[in-house]
Amino acid sequence: MLIDELIIHTVSMPLVTPFTTSFGTQTVRQALILELHATTADGTAVTGWGECVAMESPLYSSEFLAAAKLVITDHLLPALRGQEVTAETVAHRLQPIVGHRMAKAAVEMAVLDAQLRGHGVSLASYFGAVTDRVPSGVSVGIQPSVQQLLDVVGGYLDQGYVRIKLKIEPGKDVDRVRAVRERFGDDVLLQVDANAAYTLVDAPLLRRLDEFNLLLIEQPLGEEDLRQHAALARQMSTPMCLDESIVSAEAAADAIALGAAAVINIKAGRVGGYLEARRIHDLARANGVAVWCGGMLETGLGRAANAALAALPGFTLPGDISGSDRFYAKDLTEPLVMKDGHIDVPTGPGLGVTPIHDALAEFSIQTTRLG
Ligand code: SMG
Ligand code: MG
């Protein structure tokens, strides 16, 4: 296809409740929504949608929304214009531009969506999905008190979420996990995510989590601390899971070889796109490493794509793919609904969902047309 126009919608979506992690509290989700217009070889006009998961500030990773927008407009789009482009060649064409994986992922997602819509193929069947619904886990932000945490977790369990992830930080870790275990029992699938808030000297503290039979501990140490994660993994019985550190298939290969990851959280945005995400799935599967699909508070667009990815056979653990209503009273697309602890994998062409015109207008705070 040839790219005719890219429209970047900056949206600002209020969260139903503040979301606190070890690096900060969010009350709104700002995101870049890409609307790509292209023409296929036979002259058909196609539209594709992408979502950039970069946050407003560079706290989860070095990328952030304003920089992602700039790199898309000034560097990524110019590299793709004027020549035939396919989803499978986007990453190669963008390779000379160093880093900026979340920005690249958004562009590749829009091209892939347009291409699949043009062919009438769903993202799930393109990926090779083997299931029509995926188990739904929920990520629980750090709560002001233990009592509030128990209330929130109880609410999600009542709704039917099949796995609970607790965000932790120093001082709100072992006691929080103990309280949840004591209240809800040992059968709840429970894991923790530190978002890089600890260092290796905290190993004795983190080892105290071992008694709670957690599914995994996610990214306790820094993004670049692969060797230290491997050292920590040797000191703990809780399986080590990496999120921030896994920025590519190469990083995944290194982490697996070093013994730094028994489990990998796959996020397409973090690794430069859904195609790289699938490669990491394949690599992990070949190495006997379990994977699950992470979340970045996506709108229905990214949420639908994540559900399609998570339908691959290596995704053996429930992902952070909750219903739209976990974050948004009103989503940009028709909502993804959690039912019986699962989310249906969309079956329509491409992502299977599109932004609702009125919702896009309501949440949009800036529109940039690159014609
Ligand atoms: O989309 O359900 C979601 C959020 C899941 O906890 C989640 N994501 O480190 O895994 C993670 C975080 C990153 C975003 S925190 C603002
Ligand atoms: Mg994480």
Side-chain angles (χ1 to χ4, degrees):
M1 67 181 77
L2 282 173
I3 295 175
D4 299 317
E5 183 184 29
L6 180 68
I7 306 171
I8 305 180
H9 306 268
T10 305
V11 295
S12 179
M13 309 205 8
L15 303 185
V16 290
T17 173
F19 186 57
T20 299
T21 65
S22 61
F23 57 77
T25 297
Q26 259 184 287
T27 56
V28 292
R29 174 58 160 136
Q30 280 200 14
L32 302 178
I33 303 299
L34 306 192
E35 176 181 352
L36 181 92
H37 296 284
T39 306
T40 65
D42 65 7
T44 312
V46 286
T47 300
W49 294 92
E51 175 169 353
C52 181
V53 301
M55 303 268 165
E56 257 181 280
S57 304
L59 299 175
Y60 165 83
S61 71
S62 64
E63 289 191 78
F64 60 102
L65 191 133
K69 184 173 176 190
L70 187 70
V71 89
I72 291 169
T73 58
D74 287 10
H75 301 282
L76 305 185
L77 186 61
L80 298 177
R81 297 202 85 147
Q83 275 183 66
E84 183 65 21
V85 56
T86 63
E88 294 77 11
T89 54
V90 167
H92 178 76
R93 287 268 291 279
L94 300 180
Q95 179 139 33
I97 297 152
V98 177
H100 299 284
R101 292 180 174 91
M102 291 175 178
K104 290 176 177 177
V107 173
E108 185 196 79
M109 180 177 169
V111 173
L112 180 56
D113 184 39
Q115 183 172 310
L116 295 179
R117 286 183 201 270
H119 294 154
V121 174
S122 73
L123 192 57
S125 60
Y126 172 79
F127 284 151
V130 294
T131 176
D132 56 11
R133 54 178 213 154
V134 295
S136 183
V138 62
S139 174
V140 180
I142 297 168
Q143 302 298 316
S145 70
V146 171
Q147 188 52 51
Q148 278 159 291
L149 174 63
L150 295 176
D151 291 346
V152 171
V153 169
Y156 288 134
L157 289 173
D158 288 347
Q159 286 179 46
Y161 282 104
V162 300
R163 186 227 66 197
I164 299 289
K165 160 166 135 180
L166 303 182
K167 291 289 192 179
I168 58 168
E169 66 182 355
K172 292 178 179 151
D173 40 39
V174 178
D175 293 351
R176 298 290 174 111
V177 173
R178 176 179 293 114
V180 170
R181 270 289 181 239
E182 281 176 357
R183 171 74 180 273
F184 301 106
D186 292 335
D187 290 342
V188 172
L189 297 183
L190 188 64
Q191 62 193 52
V192 292
D193 184 3
N195 286 110
Y198 297 86
T199 69
L200 192 52
V201 299
D202 297 313
L205 166 75
L206 294 170
R207 223 171 20 229
R208 291 173 53 206
L209 293 169
D210 282 343
E211 67 173 283
F212 301 110
N213 191 29
L214 300 176
L215 283 172
L216 56 90
I217 177 170
E218 180 178 346
Q219 197 75 36
L221 312 180
E223 176 177 327
E224 297 180 358
D225 297 347
L226 278 190
R227 188 186 55 79
Q228 295 185 47
H229 273 107
L232 180 60
R234 285 193 295 273
Q235 297 179 50
M236 295 182 73
S237 60
T238 305
M240 189 61 60
C241 171
L242 294 183
D243 172 358
E244 284 90 331
S245 294
I246 306 299
V247 296
S248 62
E250 289 82 357
D254 287 352
I256 293 169
L258 279 167
V263 181
I264 292 176
N265 164 334
I266 296 185
K267 289 178 182 165
R270 196 191 63 225
V271 305
Y274 281 92
L275 299 184
E276 184 78 348
R278 186 175 56 179
R279 283 189 281 275
I280 295 173
H281 159 274
D282 296 344
L283 171 80
R285 191 161 161 77
N287 280 278
V289 165
V291 306
W292 55 281
C293 186
M296 291 293 287
L297 299 89
E298 286 89 347
T299 73
L301 292 171
R303 208 164 283 276
N306 287 346
L309 180 71
L312 286 171
F315 285 81
T316 51
L317 292 168
D320 282 343
I321 309 175
S322 40
S324 294
D325 64 355
R326 185 261 172 265
F327 287 113
Y328 306 112
K330 179 174 173 186
D331 204 338
L332 210 53
T333 64
E334 58 265 50
L336 277 86
V337 177
M338 188 274 286
K339 201 170 84 245
D340 300 328
H342 290 74
I343 301 275
D344 285 341
V345 176
T347 54
L351 300 172
V353 296
T354 44
I356 295 163
H357 185 269
D358 288 354
L360 189 57
E362 178 181 339
F363 296 125
S364 186
I365 54 172
Q366 196 180 30
T367 308
T368 305
R369 291 174 181 274
L370 306 160

